[in-house]
mmCIF file of all heavy atoms in Angstrom:
data_model
loop_
_atom_site.group_PDB
_atom_site.id
_atom_site.type_symbol
_atom_site.label_atom_id
_atom_site.label_comp_id
_atom_site.label_asym_id
_atom_site.label_seq_id
_atom_site.Cartn_x
_atom_site.Cartn_y
_atom_site.Cartn_z
ATOM 1 N N ASP V 247 13.776 18.307 -1.107
ATOM 2 C CA ASP V 247 12.665 18.882 -1.824
ATOM 3 C C ASP V 247 11.771 17.785 -2.450
ATOM 4 O O ASP V 247 10.603 17.905 -2.365
ATOM 5 C CB ASP V 247 13.350 19.726 -2.997
ATOM 6 C CG ASP V 247 13.825 21.050 -2.591
ATOM 7 O OD1 ASP V 247 13.642 21.364 -1.394
ATOM 8 O OD2 ASP V 247 14.397 21.773 -3.328
ATOM 9 N N VAL V 248 12.489 16.736 -3.005
ATOM 10 C CA VAL V 248 11.769 15.674 -3.593
ATOM 11 C C VAL V 248 12.325 14.314 -3.048
ATOM 12 O O VAL V 248 13.451 14.191 -3.136
ATOM 13 C CB VAL V 248 11.765 15.613 -5.093
ATOM 14 C CG1 VAL V 248 10.993 14.479 -5.642
ATOM 15 C CG2 VAL V 248 11.227 16.884 -5.730
ATOM 16 N N THR V 249 11.513 13.499 -2.579
ATOM 17 C CA THR V 249 11.930 12.133 -2.012
ATOM 18 C C THR V 249 11.632 11.031 -3.028
ATOM 19 O O THR V 249 12.476 10.159 -3.175
ATOM 20 C CB THR V 249 11.064 11.829 -0.721
ATOM 21 O OG1 THR V 249 11.414 12.733 0.212
ATOM 22 C CG2 THR V 249 11.482 10.441 -0.236
ATOM 23 N N GLY V 250 10.583 11.205 -3.793
ATOM 24 C CA GLY V 250 10.158 10.146 -4.721
ATOM 25 C C GLY V 250 9.205 10.614 -5.891
ATOM 26 O O GLY V 250 8.490 11.576 -5.716
ATOM 27 N N ILE V 251 9.401 9.856 -6.967
ATOM 28 C CA ILE V 251 8.445 10.010 -8.154
ATOM 29 C C ILE V 251 7.601 8.806 -8.066
ATOM 30 O O ILE V 251 8.109 7.668 -8.203
ATOM 31 C CB ILE V 251 9.218 10.154 -9.434
ATOM 32 C CG1 ILE V 251 10.240 11.378 -9.360
ATOM 33 C CG2 ILE V 251 8.271 10.365 -10.518
ATOM 34 C CD1 ILE V 251 9.585 12.707 -9.120
ATOM 35 N N VAL V 252 6.338 8.953 -8.106
ATOM 36 C CA VAL V 252 5.458 7.813 -7.885
ATOM 37 C C VAL V 252 4.541 7.758 -9.054
ATOM 38 O O VAL V 252 3.914 8.805 -9.489
ATOM 39 C CB VAL V 252 4.674 7.796 -6.595
ATOM 40 C CG1 VAL V 252 3.704 6.597 -6.505
ATOM 41 C CG2 VAL V 252 5.506 8.035 -5.326
ATOM 42 N N CYS V 253 4.234 6.666 -9.681
ATOM 43 C CA CYS V 253 3.315 6.525 -10.854
ATOM 44 C C CYS V 253 2.222 5.443 -10.506
ATOM 45 O O CYS V 253 2.529 4.360 -10.079
ATOM 46 C CB CYS V 253 4.140 5.946 -12.024
ATOM 47 S SG CYS V 253 3.101 5.768 -13.479
ATOM 48 N N ASP V 254 1.036 5.931 -10.770
ATOM 49 C CA ASP V 254 -0.147 5.120 -10.652
ATOM 50 C C ASP V 254 -0.780 5.017 -12.075
ATOM 51 O O ASP V 254 -1.312 6.075 -12.534
ATOM 52 C CB ASP V 254 -1.115 5.635 -9.617
ATOM 53 C CG ASP V 254 -2.423 4.755 -9.360
ATOM 54 O OD1 ASP V 254 -2.497 3.724 -10.207
ATOM 55 O OD2 ASP V 254 -3.121 5.016 -8.536
ATOM 56 N N SER V 255 -0.679 3.880 -12.742
ATOM 57 C CA SER V 255 -1.181 3.792 -14.076
ATOM 58 C C SER V 255 -2.610 3.195 -14.055
ATOM 59 O O SER V 255 -3.108 2.962 -15.222
ATOM 60 C CB SER V 255 -0.307 2.996 -14.917
ATOM 61 O OG SER V 255 -0.150 1.649 -14.272
ATOM 62 N N ASN V 256 -3.218 3.185 -13.037
ATOM 63 C CA ASN V 256 -4.659 2.559 -12.882
ATOM 64 C C ASN V 256 -5.628 3.701 -12.659
ATOM 65 O O ASN V 256 -6.280 3.869 -11.625
ATOM 66 C CB ASN V 256 -4.719 1.502 -11.745
ATOM 67 C CG ASN V 256 -6.033 1.013 -11.612
ATOM 68 O OD1 ASN V 256 -6.715 0.806 -12.612
ATOM 69 N ND2 ASN V 256 -6.438 0.746 -10.356
ATOM 70 N N ILE V 257 -5.634 4.786 -13.525
ATOM 71 C CA ILE V 257 -6.400 5.946 -13.359
ATOM 72 C C ILE V 257 -7.365 6.161 -14.420
ATOM 73 O O ILE V 257 -7.032 5.941 -15.640
ATOM 74 C CB ILE V 257 -5.369 7.107 -13.279
ATOM 75 C CG1 ILE V 257 -4.474 7.099 -11.996
ATOM 76 C CG2 ILE V 257 -6.297 8.510 -13.154
ATOM 77 C CD1 ILE V 257 -5.295 7.147 -10.643
ATOM 78 N N ALA V 258 -8.553 6.651 -14.122
ATOM 79 C CA ALA V 258 -9.636 7.078 -14.999
ATOM 80 C C ALA V 258 -10.070 8.404 -14.505
ATOM 81 O O ALA V 258 -10.087 8.728 -13.368
ATOM 82 C CB ALA V 258 -10.667 6.070 -15.243
ATOM 83 N N MET V 259 -10.610 9.253 -15.474
ATOM 84 C CA MET V 259 -11.163 10.515 -15.118
ATOM 85 C C MET V 259 -12.599 10.484 -15.466
ATOM 86 O O MET V 259 -13.073 10.201 -16.588
ATOM 87 C CB MET V 259 -10.518 11.732 -15.862
ATOM 88 C CG MET V 259 -9.016 11.831 -15.662
ATOM 89 S SD MET V 259 -8.556 12.221 -13.891
ATOM 90 C CE MET V 259 -9.340 13.782 -13.679
ATOM 91 N N ILE V 260 -13.424 10.905 -14.497
ATOM 92 C CA ILE V 260 -14.898 11.025 -14.716
ATOM 93 C C ILE V 260 -15.366 12.414 -14.786
ATOM 94 O O ILE V 260 -14.847 13.244 -13.913
ATOM 95 C CB ILE V 260 -15.701 10.253 -13.589
ATOM 96 C CG1 ILE V 260 -15.510 8.785 -13.726
ATOM 97 C CG2 ILE V 260 -17.247 10.547 -13.677
ATOM 98 C CD1 ILE V 260 -16.187 8.021 -12.660
ATOM 99 N N THR V 261 -16.141 12.791 -15.723
ATOM 100 C CA THR V 261 -16.550 14.183 -15.870
ATOM 101 C C THR V 261 -18.151 14.234 -15.896
ATOM 102 O O THR V 261 -18.764 13.458 -16.519
ATOM 103 C CB THR V 261 -16.082 14.765 -17.329
ATOM 104 O OG1 THR V 261 -14.632 14.730 -17.316
ATOM 105 C CG2 THR V 261 -16.583 16.213 -17.451
ATOM 106 N N VAL V 262 -18.603 14.956 -15.021
ATOM 107 C CA VAL V 262 -20.084 15.204 -14.888
ATOM 108 C C VAL V 262 -20.350 16.601 -15.336
ATOM 109 O O VAL V 262 -19.907 17.578 -14.743
ATOM 110 C CB VAL V 262 -20.533 15.001 -13.387
ATOM 111 C CG1 VAL V 262 -22.033 15.267 -13.319
ATOM 112 C CG2 VAL V 262 -20.119 13.691 -12.836
ATOM 113 N N SER V 263 -21.066 16.701 -16.478
ATOM 114 C CA SER V 263 -21.421 18.009 -17.111
ATOM 115 C C SER V 263 -22.799 18.466 -16.879
ATOM 116 O O SER V 263 -23.695 17.632 -16.722
ATOM 117 C CB SER V 263 -21.123 17.914 -18.608
ATOM 118 O OG SER V 263 -19.890 17.398 -18.894
ATOM 119 N N GLY V 264 -22.926 19.798 -16.908
ATOM 120 C CA GLY V 264 -24.155 20.464 -16.714
ATOM 121 C C GLY V 264 -24.765 20.191 -15.342
ATOM 122 O O GLY V 264 -25.932 20.059 -15.067
#
Side-chain angles (χ1 to χ4, degrees):
D247 282 355
V248 177
T249 298
I251 304 299
V252 183
C253 176
D254 183 354
S255 58
N256 180 36
I257 295 294
M259 300 298 297
I260 291 179
T261 300
V262 182
S263 305

